[in-house]
Amino acid sequence: MKDKKSFRAHIVKGQPIFKRHLYISSALFVIIILVITVILIGLAMGYSKDRINAEMSAASESLAQQIREQIQSVNSRLGISNSETEFQRNTEMKSFLEGLVGQQEELHYIFVQDLRGEILWSSVKRGMELEQNQFSKVLISPRNSRPPKKLVAALSNPNMTYTDLIEPILLNDQPQVFAHFGIDQNLLESRFSRIQGSILNRIILGSSVVVAILSLALFYVLWLLKRAQVVEAEAHEADRLAYLGTLAGGLAHEIRNPLSAINLNLQMIEEDLSSGETDFSELSGLLKGTKQEIKRLERLATNFLFYAKPLGLEEQEFDVSELLDDIASLVAREYEGEGIRLSRQDTAYRVKVKGDRDLLKQAILNLIVNAQDAVKVRADGQRCVTLGAALEDHQMVIRVEDNGPGVRPEEAQNLFNLFYSGKRGGTGLGLPIAQRIVESHGGTIDWKNRPEGGAEFSIRLEVGFGSGKST
């Protein structure tokens, strides 16, 4: 039980690549939420400024409308202008303006000027009398053009600014006078700060809730991932044990046959020696058969260990044609002794692939040995094996062709199965080892029967980076 728990813990500690992607995706979501939050805060701030400007414009328009109505009312009551009515008009207008300034907390002053730039009436809030010295700077006249809204520094308080707004007052559908309103923008901002703060708090709260939900979802997914890793580890362990059981069963079956033959040969040798009638020629045949079975066991053990151990690839760039030349030189004498002609047919020269040269050499040798065994069954005619390389669709294709009997239909389904062999004395490991080596390089291995007879096995590999082709 302790070993099983430690195995689980070892597996769960692994960091799959999708776990890293999960962290990256979550971080991106948080960044997006923060960016959206900053944008919303900026929009809220902009909305507050727009609201303040709109409030100032609405206030100035409303005050201008009230002044226009008051001027019309006074003019209609006082009638023709003279010294007495003019004094009365100025008195009533000044009183009216003082009333407006007193009613509006954010209003510092109001003054009305005519088209020539002369100030007709004015009213200044108590404590802001110095601002009258600014009137000449904010007047509008043909010689002093200015925008309808102007930011002015207060004389009574150097740290304070206010906005001078101009509104034309229409009399008889014609602008006759202009009204100036000194509005404290900071006071309006303080009024909107509470609304603005409420909006910002809601934005931050909403963003925090989304981030919290996302964090909980992340922890939940990580917990599910950990559980899945435990289940996956147990499944892998079960598969590994089942696979080891299959390998052990196949290996035991393959070992039993040569051991039985060795045991039978030893019994026959023992009987010959016990009877005293020793036939040395027969003993020599029995010993030769025993040695062959022992070699078969040795080859089986060697191939099995090669198949079972992890493949540590030592990648390097190498020339495929040079590799095939080395293999041809290696088997040339043995082929010649068995009357087999080995041909080399390359259509791609100086093409390099990236991989483990020794392992790929072993895979190709296994195909060469299979082709050698296939052509040896020919009782007549020339025995031929062709080894070649070609460049097809940015892939290096290595082919081993023979003119043997080909692959029988009943063998096709089990061709790459472990311990399956269609020849007498075969280990059934040559093709599985070749397949494992090729697939570890990201390649494929396949076969087909040739129309003219025999079989063709092909290894396809991606061409290495920086390789080239020259003729």
Side-chain angles (χ1 to χ4, degrees), residues 284-318:
S284 177
L286 292 173
L287 288 173
K288 183 178 179 181
T290 303
K291 287 174 65 178
Q292 289 177 348
E293 294 300 324
I294 291 174
K295 286 183 178 180
R296 180 184 171 192
L297 280 176
E298 181 183 5
R299 188 170 66 253
L300 176 64
T302 301
N303 289 340
F304 180 78
L305 290 175
F306 184 88
Y307 182 84
K309 72 177 182 179
L311 294 179
L313 299 183
E314 297 181 1
E315 292 190 350
Q316 58 179 321
E317 279 194 349
F318 59 90

Side-chain angles (χ1 to χ4, degrees), residues 94-105:
K94 184 176 179 58
S95 176
F96 178 75
L97 295 181
E98 288 177 349
L100 291 179
V101 172
Q103 293 172 6
Q104 305 289 332
E105 182 182 4

Side-chain angles (χ1 to χ4, degrees), residues 113-358:
Q113 67 165 112
D114 59 17
L115 297 178
R116 295 173 299 175
E118 297 292 333
I119 298 177
L120 302 177
W121 313 292
S122 65
S123 176
V124 182
K125 182 172 289 186
R126 183 174 297 177
M128 303 290 294
E129 288 81 0
L130 284 176
E131 303 311 321
Q132 295 178 93
N133 296 328
Q134 298 277 37
F135 288 176
S136 61
K137 298 180 181 179
V138 297
L139 284 172
I140 185 170
S141 68
R143 292 174 298 176
N144 184 21
S145 178
R146 50 153 287 194
K149 182 189 294 184
K150 185 176 181 180
L151 194 65
V152 183
L155 295 176
S156 56
N157 185 353
N159 297 324
M160 186 179 70
T161 59
Y162 58 88
T163 304
D164 184 83
L165 294 172
I166 298 176
E167 288 291 338
I169 296 177
L170 303 180
L171 299 174
N172 300 323
D173 297 328
Q174 293 294 327
Q176 300 293 328
V177 293
F178 294 96
H180 289 255
F181 305 101
I183 298 178
D184 187 353
Q185 185 172 336
N186 295 326
L187 187 60
L188 291 176
E189 288 177 354
S190 64
R191 290 180 181 176
F192 279 95
S193 62
R194 288 174 296 184
I195 300 175
Q196 180 179 326
S198 176
I199 294 174
L200 295 179
N201 289 336
R202 292 181 182 182
I203 292 174
I204 294 174
L205 178 61
S207 301
S208 302
V209 170
V210 173
V211 172
I213 293 174
L214 182 62
S215 301
L216 290 175
L218 174 63
F219 286 124
Y220 180 67
V221 171
L222 289 176
W223 180 80
L224 289 179
L225 179 62
K226 186 176 180 179
R227 293 289 303 168
Q229 285 182 278
V230 173
V231 174
E232 185 180 3
E234 293 176 348
H236 280 313
E237 178 68 4
D239 291 342
R240 190 177 70 88
L241 293 175
Y243 183 65
L244 288 177
T246 302
L247 289 181
L251 186 61
H253 175 75
E254 293 297 325
I255 291 175
R256 185 172 59 240
N257 292 333
L259 285 179
S260 299
I262 292 172
N263 185 44
L264 180 61
N265 288 345
L266 291 177
Q267 286 181 359
M268 294 177 66
I269 292 173
E270 184 181 8
E271 290 176 0
D272 288 346
L273 293 175
S274 299
S275 64
E277 299 177 358
T278 304
D279 186 349
F280 290 100
S281 61
E282 184 178 353
L283 285 177
S284 177
L286 292 173
L287 288 173
K288 183 178 179 181
T290 303
K291 287 174 65 178
Q292 289 177 348
E293 294 300 324
I294 291 174
K295 286 183 178 180
R296 180 184 171 192
L297 280 176
E298 181 183 5
R299 188 170 66 253
L300 176 64
T302 301
N303 289 340
F304 180 78
L305 290 175
F306 184 88
Y307 182 84
K309 72 177 182 179
L311 294 179
L313 299 183
E314 297 181 1
E315 292 190 350
Q316 58 179 321
E317 279 194 349
F318 59 90
D319 189 290
V320 176
S321 295
E322 292 180 358
L323 175 63
L324 298 186
D325 288 340
D326 291 345
I327 294 174
S329 300
L330 184 65
V331 300
R333 179 170 295 182
E334 186 175 355
Y335 266 51
E336 185 179 352
E338 294 180 352
I340 302 173
R341 183 170 64 88
L342 178 61
S343 301
R344 288 278 287 110
Q345 292 182 359
D346 287 352
T347 59
Y349 298 94
R350 309 300 299 170
V351 178
K352 294 184 178 181
V353 296
K354 191 173 184 179
D356 192 311
R357 190 179 190 277
D358 293 334

Side-chain angles (χ1 to χ4, degrees), residues 409-422 428 431-432:
E410 60 271 18
E411 295 178 340
Q413 295 182 350
N414 301 313
L415 203 56
F416 291 94
N417 288 350
L418 203 60
F419 297 122
Y420 176 81
S421 178
L431 287 179

Side-chain angles (χ1 to χ4, degrees), residues 243 303-313 359-360 363 366 416 418 429-445:
Y243 183 65
N303 289 340
F304 180 78
L305 290 175
F306 184 88
Y307 182 84
K309 72 177 182 179
L311 294 179
L313 299 183
L359 287 179
L360 288 173
N366 287 357
F416 291 94
L418 203 60
L429 289 169
L431 287 179
I433 288 175
Q435 184 184 47
R436 185 171 177 230
I437 292 173
V438 172
E439 290 180 350
S440 69
H441 285 76
T444 58
I445 181 170

